[in-house]
Amino acid sequence: EVATGMKIKIGEFLSHYAQLSDEEHIRKMYRLQGYRFVQVTTRAVKVSRGVQVFFKVREGPRSTVRTIAVKGNRAFSNDELKKLMDTKEDGWFRRRPLDEEVLVSDLIKLRNYYRGEGYLDAEVYSLGYRYNRDLTRIKLTILVKEGPRYRIRKVTLDGNHLVTETEIRERLTLKAGDFFLPVEAGKDQERLKKLYGENAYLDAEIRYDYTYA
């Protein structure tokens, strides 16, 4: 598995770039398995018909996610938010390495979840992580800045010359006084497209926008 994707090939010329690239490739493979302190070096030895390349690997401790702490969240519990994440805590029979790329994706996912529930200004950050003494366990801390949850003050229509306002409003699920949920607004948009299609206006363009008031 480690050899897959390596630059150095038997029978090809050896370059310094290929050595450095393969060292980083091996580090990445180990880090994905939790060996965050792995060290990899190469040594090229001349032989009768070329060179022989040796990779020296010092794995170091395997570090996995012991705890995910969430701070600043009031609307949703820690458990609710952690269920949305692909980054997981260690289980009874399975240790979970930390993948920074997955963590970045998780932070975006949590932010979008909040915004989808009406917290349009929500931001989610990683406060970093701490290791225990032997570097085998990680405590990850996430900060949530929820901001206000916005309600709809007024729903206005513009450009509806072919279908009456009454017909349109009967199809809308979001009303004045409701929390503004972008997903539901998108569904309302599709409902109105269907309404216009039912009236043979197949090319009708439906868009929604919002302003803070």
Side-chain angles (χ1 to χ4, degrees), residues 6-17:
M6 294 182 68
K7 302 291 185 182
I8 296 175
K9 307 290 185 183
I10 295 175
E12 296 183 2
F13 289 108
L14 176 65
S15 69
H16 184 59
Y17 165 76

Side-chain angles (χ1 to χ4, degrees), residues 19 31 35 50 53 61 69 155-156:
Q19 286 182 258
R31 286 170 183 158
Y35 296 93
V53 181
V155 178
T156 59

Side-chain angles (χ1 to χ4, degrees), residues 39-58:
Q39 297 178 22
V40 181
T41 56
T42 55
R43 182 168 60 94
V45 178
K46 289 184 179 180
V47 294
S48 59
R49 295 185 178 180
V51 294
Q52 191 168 7
V53 181
F54 296 89
F55 288 91
K56 184 176 181 179
V57 179
R58 294 182 178 178

Side-chain angles (χ1 to χ4, degrees), residues 24 62 68 129 132 188:
E24 184 56 33
R62 186 170 188 241
I68 300 174
Y129 37 84
N132 64 350
D188 276 347

Side-chain angles (χ1 to χ4, degrees), residues 49 85 179 208:
R49 295 185 178 180
M85 299 173 63
F179 288 114
Y208 80 87

Side-chain angles (χ1 to χ4, degrees), residues 13-212:
F13 289 108
L14 176 65
S15 69
H16 184 59
Y17 165 76
Q19 286 182 258
L20 295 178
S21 177
D22 285 351
E23 286 179 11
E24 184 56 33
H25 171 73
I26 294 171
R27 289 189 197 101
K28 183 175 181 181
M29 296 296 291
Y30 269 91
R31 286 170 183 158
L32 288 174
Q33 297 301 316
Y35 296 93
R36 303 176 61 79
F37 300 95
V38 64
Q39 297 178 22
V40 181
T41 56
T42 55
R43 182 168 60 94
V45 178
K46 289 184 179 180
V47 294
S48 59
R49 295 185 178 180
V51 294
Q52 191 168 7
V53 181
F54 296 89
F55 288 91
K56 184 176 181 179
V57 179
R58 294 182 178 178
E59 294 180 342
R62 186 170 188 241
S63 310
T64 53
V65 181
R66 175 67 173 175
T67 306
I68 300 174
V70 185
K71 297 183 177 181
N73 52 309
R74 298 181 301 276
F76 307 105
S77 70
N78 286 15
D79 287 342
E80 287 178 286
L81 297 178
K82 287 193 285 188
K83 284 179 181 178
L84 298 173
M85 299 173 63
D86 291 317
T87 301
K88 302 294 184 184
E89 297 170 330
D90 290 342
W92 284 103
F93 304 105
R94 184 175 180 184
R95 295 181 63 184
R96 309 273 189 167
L98 175 63
D99 185 327
E100 278 90 350
E101 292 182 4
V102 174
L103 176 59
V104 169
S105 176
D106 284 336
L107 298 178
I108 295 172
K109 188 184 299 182
L110 294 179
R111 182 200 66 188
N112 291 344
Y113 178 72
Y114 264 96
R115 292 184 180 183
E117 292 296 324
Y119 297 89
L120 304 182
D121 303 327
E123 295 290 348
V124 182
Y125 307 93
S126 168
L127 293 182
Y129 37 84
R130 296 170 58 187
Y131 296 90
N132 64 350
R133 286 189 176 183
D134 62 6
L135 305 178
T136 60
R137 294 291 188 270
I138 298 171
K139 178 181 179 180
L140 171 66
T141 303
I142 293 172
L143 175 65
V144 177
K145 293 186 177 180
E146 293 181 341
R149 192 181 192 193
Y150 290 92
R151 289 185 182 273
I152 299 171
R153 176 172 291 182
K154 182 171 61 173
V155 178
T156 59
L157 304 176
D158 182 53
N160 53 305
H161 307 300
L162 305 174
V163 178
T164 66
E165 181 171 337
T166 299
E167 290 178 288
I168 291 175
R169 291 190 180 276
E170 286 177 350
R171 296 293 180 100
L172 298 177
T173 59
L174 289 178
K175 315 287 185 183
D178 292 345
F179 288 114
F180 176 64
L181 308 178
V183 172
E184 289 303 317
K187 291 179 181 179
D188 276 347
Q189 185 177 1
E190 293 302 315
R191 292 184 184 100
L192 295 188
K193 285 183 180 179
K194 183 177 180 181
L195 171 62
Y196 272 83
E198 291 169 356
N199 286 274
Y201 302 114
L202 303 180
D203 296 327
E205 183 177 348
I206 312 295
R207 292 179 294 178
Y208 80 87
D209 197 3
Y210 61 88
T211 57
Y212 295 94

